[in-house]
């Protein structure tokens, strides 16, 4: 018991005395470093809708959560048109500010008292959505700067692509922080699969996410 306490104190001291978290400390608490990919990240090409027209404000509906009220003042770019096969499609464009407002409305991760992530900001560039904030390393009870990269997977849904601590990429750890991030990912996927939007153009069901011009685009059919 005493030895474990001393080890914890040493780890905390190393973290506090260093401007960046030492790799050895992170490995002790479950983080495995990975090599950063040299492959360039490109944005998905999204076909322009034919006969496109602006749609009225939308309402989001889910089976598990009912109607989701958007934050006051939200002004999403909503377009209705036809894809290359002639199917009717509704697209919603989310800017960085829109994603931040949704984070503040539906989670506490972008606030000062969130857990396991707090004070997060969101940016979309280079084919990734990057969530930058502070993460709680529960085993040593220290908050550390973290960047979480979110990409679009083959099923056109959001997927955790990478995490970075102290500027170095790591595998998603098998600890409370990793479990918390996986839970966030699972909840987003759950909501997306059942998400519908209602507008004056009708009711549409979620079809997939894409990235275009440093914006997140959600398509509904």
């Amino acid at each position: 018991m005493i030895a474990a306490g001393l080890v914890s104190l040493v780890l905390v001291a190393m973290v506090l005395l260093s401007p960046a978290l030492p790799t050895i400390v992170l490995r002790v608490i479950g983080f495995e470093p990975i090599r950063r990919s040299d492959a360039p990240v490109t944005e998905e090409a999204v076909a322009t809708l034919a006969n496109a027209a602006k749609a009225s404000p939308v309402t989001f509906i889910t089976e598990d959560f009912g109607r989701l009220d958007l934050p006051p003042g939200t002004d999403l770019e909503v377009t209705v048109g036809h894809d290359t096969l002639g199917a009717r499609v509704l697209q919603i464009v989310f800017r960085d500010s829109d994603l931040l407002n949704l984070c503040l409305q539906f989670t506490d991760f972008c606030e000062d008292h969130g857990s396991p992530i707090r004070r997060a900001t969101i940016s979309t560039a280079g084919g990734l959505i990057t969530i930058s904030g502070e993460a709680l390393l529960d085993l040593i009870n220290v908050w550390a700067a973290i960047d979480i990269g979110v990409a679009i997977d083959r099923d056109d849904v959001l997927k955790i692509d990478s995490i970075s601590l102290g500027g170095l990429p790591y595998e998603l750890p098998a600890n409370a922080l990793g479990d918390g991030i996986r839970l966030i990912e699972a909840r987003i996927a759950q909501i997306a699969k059942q998400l519908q939007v209602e507008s004056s153009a009708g009711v549409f069901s979620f079809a997939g996410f894409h990235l275009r011009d440093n914006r997140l685009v959600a398509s509904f059919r």
Side-chain angles (χ1 to χ4, degrees):
M1 181 74 70
I2 295 177
L6 290 175
V7 170
S8 296
L9 287 175
V10 170
L11 292 176
V12 171
M14 291 177 67
V15 169
L16 296 177
L17 292 175
S18 173
L21 288 175
T23 301
I24 188 171
V25 175
L26 292 172
R27 296 199 68 165
V28 168
I29 61 176
F31 288 84
E32 290 294 331
I34 58 175
R35 294 182 179 179
R36 191 183 301 274
S37 174
D38 294 328
V41 179
T42 57
E43 295 192 350
E44 289 282 353
V46 182
T48 301
L49 298 179
N51 306 315
K54 290 185 178 180
S56 65
V58 297
T59 299
F60 291 96
I61 308 168
T62 69
E63 294 178 7
D64 293 342
F65 304 98
R67 291 180 178 268
L68 302 178
D69 294 325
L70 296 177
T74 301
D75 183 22
L76 298 176
E77 180 184 331
V78 184
T79 305
V80 175
H82 296 85
D83 63 14
T84 55
L85 298 178
R88 205 151 177 257
V89 177
L90 181 146
Q91 288 184 345
I92 302 175
V93 176
F94 295 93
R95 302 165 298 234
D96 292 351
S97 57
D98 299 324
L99 296 174
L100 180 61
N101 286 337
L102 292 175
C103 179
L104 290 168
Q105 176 80 354
F106 298 112
T107 80
D108 58 4
F109 304 135
C110 294
E111 299 177 350
D112 288 340
H113 305 291
S115 181
I117 299 169
R118 68 182 183 184
R119 300 173 181 171
T121 60
I122 303 175
S123 63
T124 306
L128 283 177
I129 301 169
T130 301
I131 302 170
S132 300
E134 298 176 354
L136 178 61
L137 308 183
D138 60 300
L139 294 179
I140 54 177
N141 196 32
V142 168
W143 289 91
I146 188 172
D147 292 311
I148 302 173
V150 181
I152 311 297
D153 72 3
R154 293 179 179 178
D155 296 322
D156 294 338
V157 297
L158 300 177
K159 190 76 176 177
I160 302 298
D161 177 77
S162 61
I163 64 169
S164 176
L165 288 162
L168 297 175
Y170 290 88
E171 297 280 2
L172 199 57
N175 57 26
L177 174 61
D179 292 343
I181 294 175
R182 291 185 187 90
L183 180 59
I184 296 169
E185 181 182 69
R187 284 179 176 172
I188 292 175
Q190 175 190 3
I191 292 174
K193 287 180 179 179
Q194 56 183 251
L195 189 62
Q196 293 185 315
V197 292
E198 183 179 74
S199 77
S200 59
V203 177
F204 298 78
S205 297
F206 176 76
F209 287 114
H210 300 278
L211 293 172
R212 181 181 65 199
D213 299 329
N214 294 334
R215 300 289 187 268
L216 176 66
V217 180
S219 296
F220 297 81
R221 299 182 184 276

